Short mmCIF file of all heavy atoms in Angstrom, two decimals:
data_model
loop_
_atom_site.label_atom_id
_atom_site.label_comp_id
_atom_site.label_asym_id
_atom_site.label_seq_id
_atom_site.Cartn_x
_atom_site.Cartn_y
_atom_site.Cartn_z
N ARG C 18 -10.80 39.51 6.59
CA ARG C 18 -10.82 40.35 5.40
C ARG C 18 -10.06 39.69 4.26
O ARG C 18 -10.30 39.98 3.10
CB ARG C 18 -10.19 41.71 5.70
CG ARG C 18 -10.89 42.49 6.77
CD ARG C 18 -12.16 43.07 6.22
NE ARG C 18 -11.91 43.95 5.09
CZ ARG C 18 -12.83 44.32 4.24
NH1 ARG C 18 -14.04 43.87 4.37
NH2 ARG C 18 -12.53 45.14 3.25
N ALA C 44 -24.65 17.10 -5.22
CA ALA C 44 -25.37 16.78 -6.46
C ALA C 44 -24.95 15.42 -6.99
O ALA C 44 -25.77 14.66 -7.52
CB ALA C 44 -25.13 17.87 -7.50
N ARG C 52 -29.17 6.48 -9.39
CA ARG C 52 -28.70 5.32 -10.15
C ARG C 52 -28.97 4.04 -9.38
O ARG C 52 -29.34 3.02 -9.96
CB ARG C 52 -27.20 5.43 -10.45
CG ARG C 52 -26.77 6.43 -11.51
CD ARG C 52 -27.51 6.32 -12.81
NE ARG C 52 -27.80 4.95 -13.22
CZ ARG C 52 -28.65 4.64 -14.19
NH1 ARG C 52 -29.28 5.58 -14.85
NH2 ARG C 52 -28.86 3.38 -14.51
N PHE C 96 -26.84 25.11 -11.99
CA PHE C 96 -26.65 26.47 -11.49
C PHE C 96 -25.60 26.56 -10.40
O PHE C 96 -24.90 27.56 -10.28
CB PHE C 96 -27.98 27.03 -10.97
CG PHE C 96 -29.02 27.16 -12.04
CD1 PHE C 96 -30.11 26.31 -12.09
CD2 PHE C 96 -28.90 28.13 -13.03
CE1 PHE C 96 -31.06 26.42 -13.09
CE2 PHE C 96 -29.84 28.24 -14.03
CZ PHE C 96 -30.93 27.39 -14.06
N VAL C 104 -18.05 29.62 -14.60
CA VAL C 104 -18.29 31.02 -14.90
C VAL C 104 -17.86 31.89 -13.72
O VAL C 104 -17.06 32.83 -13.86
CB VAL C 104 -19.77 31.27 -15.25
CG1 VAL C 104 -19.98 32.71 -15.64
CG2 VAL C 104 -20.19 30.34 -16.36
N ILE C 114 -6.82 38.88 -14.35
CA ILE C 114 -5.40 38.59 -14.47
C ILE C 114 -5.02 38.29 -15.92
O ILE C 114 -3.89 38.51 -16.35
CB ILE C 114 -5.02 37.44 -13.51
CG1 ILE C 114 -3.53 37.45 -13.22
CG2 ILE C 114 -5.46 36.11 -14.01
CD1 ILE C 114 -3.17 36.61 -12.03
N CYS C 138 -27.29 28.66 -1.80
CA CYS C 138 -26.91 27.25 -1.66
C CYS C 138 -27.56 26.66 -0.42
O CYS C 138 -28.13 25.55 -0.46
CB CYS C 138 -25.39 27.10 -1.50
SG CYS C 138 -24.47 27.48 -2.98
N LEU C 235 -36.32 34.30 -16.47
CA LEU C 235 -36.62 33.38 -15.37
C LEU C 235 -37.02 34.15 -14.12
O LEU C 235 -37.88 33.69 -13.36
CB LEU C 235 -35.41 32.47 -15.09
CG LEU C 235 -35.66 31.40 -14.03
CD1 LEU C 235 -36.83 30.52 -14.39
CD2 LEU C 235 -34.43 30.54 -13.81
N GLU C 263 -59.79 17.89 -5.12
CA GLU C 263 -60.39 19.21 -4.91
C GLU C 263 -60.39 20.01 -6.21
O GLU C 263 -59.52 19.82 -7.06
CB GLU C 263 -59.54 20.03 -3.92
CG GLU C 263 -59.52 19.55 -2.51
CD GLU C 263 -58.39 20.22 -1.76
OE1 GLU C 263 -58.17 21.43 -2.01
OE2 GLU C 263 -57.71 19.54 -0.98
N TYR C 313 -8.59 31.54 -34.60
CA TYR C 313 -9.01 32.47 -33.54
C TYR C 313 -10.15 33.36 -34.01
O TYR C 313 -11.18 33.49 -33.35
CB TYR C 313 -7.80 33.30 -33.15
CG TYR C 313 -8.03 34.31 -32.06
CD1 TYR C 313 -7.88 33.96 -30.72
CD2 TYR C 313 -8.39 35.63 -32.36
CE1 TYR C 313 -8.08 34.89 -29.72
CE2 TYR C 313 -8.60 36.56 -31.37
CZ TYR C 313 -8.44 36.19 -30.04
OH TYR C 313 -8.64 37.11 -29.04
N HIS C 333 -37.05 24.75 -29.31
CA HIS C 333 -36.76 23.34 -29.63
C HIS C 333 -36.94 22.44 -28.40
O HIS C 333 -36.91 21.23 -28.53
CB HIS C 333 -35.37 23.16 -30.25
CG HIS C 333 -34.23 23.59 -29.38
ND1 HIS C 333 -33.08 24.15 -29.89
CD2 HIS C 333 -34.05 23.54 -28.05
CE1 HIS C 333 -32.26 24.42 -28.91
NE2 HIS C 333 -32.81 24.06 -27.79
N VAL C 357 -24.32 25.31 -37.23
CA VAL C 357 -23.23 25.77 -38.08
C VAL C 357 -22.10 26.42 -37.27
O VAL C 357 -20.97 25.93 -37.31
CB VAL C 357 -23.77 26.71 -39.19
CG1 VAL C 357 -22.63 27.37 -39.93
CG2 VAL C 357 -24.66 25.93 -40.13
N PHE C 383 -7.51 15.97 -20.60
CA PHE C 383 -8.89 16.40 -20.39
C PHE C 383 -9.36 17.29 -21.53
O PHE C 383 -10.53 17.23 -21.94
CB PHE C 383 -9.04 17.10 -19.04
CG PHE C 383 -9.27 16.15 -17.90
CD1 PHE C 383 -8.27 15.86 -17.00
CD2 PHE C 383 -10.51 15.53 -17.75
CE1 PHE C 383 -8.48 14.97 -15.95
CE2 PHE C 383 -10.73 14.64 -16.70
CZ PHE C 383 -9.71 14.36 -15.80
N ARG C 529 6.47 22.74 -5.34
CA ARG C 529 6.31 24.17 -5.60
C ARG C 529 6.35 24.46 -7.09
O ARG C 529 7.18 23.91 -7.81
CB ARG C 529 7.43 24.93 -4.93
CG ARG C 529 7.43 24.78 -3.45
CD ARG C 529 6.94 26.05 -2.79
NE ARG C 529 6.75 25.79 -1.37
CZ ARG C 529 5.74 26.27 -0.67
NH1 ARG C 529 4.84 27.04 -1.25
NH2 ARG C 529 5.64 26.02 0.60
#
Side-chain angles (χ1 to χ4, degrees):
Chain C
R18 299 285 301 163
R52 286 309 322 167
F96 297 108
V104 184
I114 201 165
C138 291
L235 184 57
E263 292 166 39
Y313 180 88
H333 61 214
V357 171
F383 275 105
R529 298 254 171 220

